[in-house]
Structure formats: C-alpha cells, structure tokens
Amino acid sequence: EDKVVQSPLSLVVHEGDTVTLNCSYEVTNFRSLLWYKQEKKAPTFLFMLTSSGIEKKSGRLSSILDKKELFSILNITATQTGDSAVYLCAVVKANAGGTSYGKLTFGQGTILTVHP
Amino acid sequence: KAGVTQTPRYLIKTRGQQVTLSCSPISGHRSVSWYQQTPGQGLQFLFEYFSETQRNKGNFPGRFSGRQFSNSRSEMNVSTLELGDSALYLCASSSGLSLTGGAGELFFGEGSRLTVL
C-alpha cells in the first residue's frame, strides 16, 4: 500500500528560526512529489519535484528530493508568523497507462506554529 | 483569473440524507478531482473527472459518486449519509495533463464543510 509519512507532526518555533520539514514515501511507480501550504482553507501549491538532487527555491522556502532514499525536505528560513500553517506533502504515481490523473497521495501534514 | 469555486461552503445534514456538492474549476481546466479531508485520515482522494469521464477513483464506498458536465463543472453526491462522512470536501482543478508534464499541479478550492448529525 502506498504510504507518505511526514515528520514532525507539529512544530513550534519563534520568528527568525529555520525549520526543516520531512516527507518520506513508499509508492510504486513514483512520478513526482508536491508540497502544499494550508491555512484553514484551500491548500496552496508550493513546489513540485520530479528530479532527484535539484533544489527548488521560492524566497525563504526551498525543497529538495532524494529519489534514492525516498524522501523530500522543505526548508523555511527566517520564519515569520505568516508561515504558520499546515504543510502537506503529496506524491503522484503513474497509472498503468504511464500517466497520472489528478490523484495525489497525501501525508498527514506538519502543523507549523511560528510565535512572534 | 477566478479560482476554483465550491458551493455550498457549509452545510449540515442528518444521517440517512444525501448531499450534492458543486465545483467550478478554473477557466480552461478540464480536470476536476475531489478529496475528503478529516482530522484522522487527512486528505484522501475520492475521484477525478476529465472531459465528463471518470479517469481515476479512490477507495471509497459506492455511496460516493460524482459527475462532470460539458462545461467542466463537477458535482459529487453522497447518499445515505453517515456520521463519519463529516469532513471538508475539497475540489481541485488542473489542465488535465499528466502531473509529471510540469503543467498539472492541482489548484484547490476552499472546500465544502459537511457536518452530519
């Protein structure tokens, strides 16, 4: 059975701290891994990673995928209170036909709380 | 451009009733996926529609069904509601291309929160 496991489940930090969120996966026919941020409403897309070892960056956020060890990390530097949210990791796998159709397998999420 | 729109945003039903939720995708998107989010199980995939055809289905009982119209709008229906169906139901749209093609990340709506009493 496909599995996506995130750690830690929750994290409390102060503004300015750097955090690392982890996502490990066990899926057959892996195609890509996505990170989302959810703040009590719609999850918003952060990154999609398909190639191992290539870091994706967006401002203070960055993410990297290790396809050999089957995990990804999401780093947030100089955290701000606005970073408080649930961070979701999701994996896309290929169907038998070789393509994937809208089906993401999500981890349980990491609840990040940033105190001023 | 307008995002994914879900209606209603909140609803309360009783056990045994049925419910229909609606989702309008981003203009030009042909794929609509539905997810159920609960505190215990997290986000779980229900089904995905593309050009009025169900292409993919999750592991939910037959009480959960959906459809897509020619304008790409989608509805999902849950019949014979159970207490455990209380959840946030999220709809997501995409272009419908393979998610590994670099053009297919999902854009989520704000969800319909269903409470079953």
Side-chain angles (χ1 to χ4, degrees):
Chain A
E1 187 181 325
D2 298 335
K3 249 187 346 182
V4 179
V5 178
Q6 292 186 244
S7 63
L9 292 182
S10 66
L11 192 53
V12 180
V13 300
H14 288 94
E15 274 193 318
D17 289 348
T18 293
V19 298
T20 298
L21 310 183
N22 304 290
C23 175
S24 63
Y25 61 90
E26 291 178 33
V27 301
T28 53
N29 300 319
F30 170 88
R31 298 303 290 269
S32 60
L33 186 145
L34 294 87
W35 284 96
Y36 283 86
K37 176 183 181 183
Q38 187 175 25
E39 300 171 86
K40 294 184 181 177
K41 47 182 184 176
T44 54
F45 173 79
L46 294 174
F47 299 111
M48 180 166 70
L49 303 140
T50 55
S51 301
S52 202
I54 298 176
E55 185 182 49
K56 295 251 179 139
K57 290 198 75 168
S58 177
R60 296 176 295 102
L61 277 66
S62 64
S63 183
I64 197 162
L65 173 68
D66 186 327
K67 289 169 77 172
K68 182 180 176 188
E69 299 298 329
L70 308 182
F71 77 90
S72 173
I73 59 172
L74 175 68
N75 278 321
I76 308 175
T77 59
T79 52
Q80 302 171 357
T81 54
D83 295 326
S84 295
V86 177
Y87 290 84
L88 296 161
C89 165
V91 170
V92 177
K93 54 185 289 182
N95 288 338
T99 53
S100 42
Y101 298 134
K103 178 179 179 179
L104 273 61
T105 300
F106 281 88
Q108 65 273 60
T110 293
I111 302 171
L112 175 64
T113 304
V114 182
H115 288 310
Chain B
K1 55 185 174 184
V4 179
T5 303
Q6 291 189 244
T7 58
R9 293 290 313 282
Y10 302 91
L11 64 165
I12 300 173
K13 294 283 186 178
T14 56
R15 279 180 297 175
Q17 288 187 310
Q18 73 164 15
V19 65
T20 299
L21 310 177
S22 179
C23 173
S24 294
I26 291 170
S27 178
H29 282 186
R30 295 167 63 190
S31 168
V32 173
S33 304
W34 288 90
Y35 288 80
Q36 181 195 66
Q37 187 173 31
T38 59
Q41 300 296 321
L43 269 155
Q44 293 186 290
F45 174 75
L46 282 155
F47 26 66
E48 187 259 359
Y49 288 88
F50 180 82
S51 292
E52 302 178 67
T53 301
Q54 187 183 86
R55 289 197 300 190
N56 214 338
K57 189 176 186 305
N59 298 321
F60 278 80
R63 300 185 296 107
F64 292 81
S65 63
R67 59 178 175 167
Q68 186 180 36
F69 302 95
S70 58
N71 61 357
S72 294
R73 188 178 71 87
S74 177
E75 289 181 348
M76 67 163 283
N77 184 77
V78 188
S79 62
T80 319
L81 284 166
E82 301 176 0
L83 295 179
D85 297 332
S86 295
L88 180 66
Y89 290 88
L90 290 163
C91 164
S93 80
S94 77
S95 63
L97 299 173
S98 166
L99 287 177
T100 59
E105 66 263 20
L106 300 188
F107 297 87
F108 284 87
E110 297 204 351
S112 293
R113 184 164 296 281
L114 170 66
T115 302
V116 182
L117 302 176

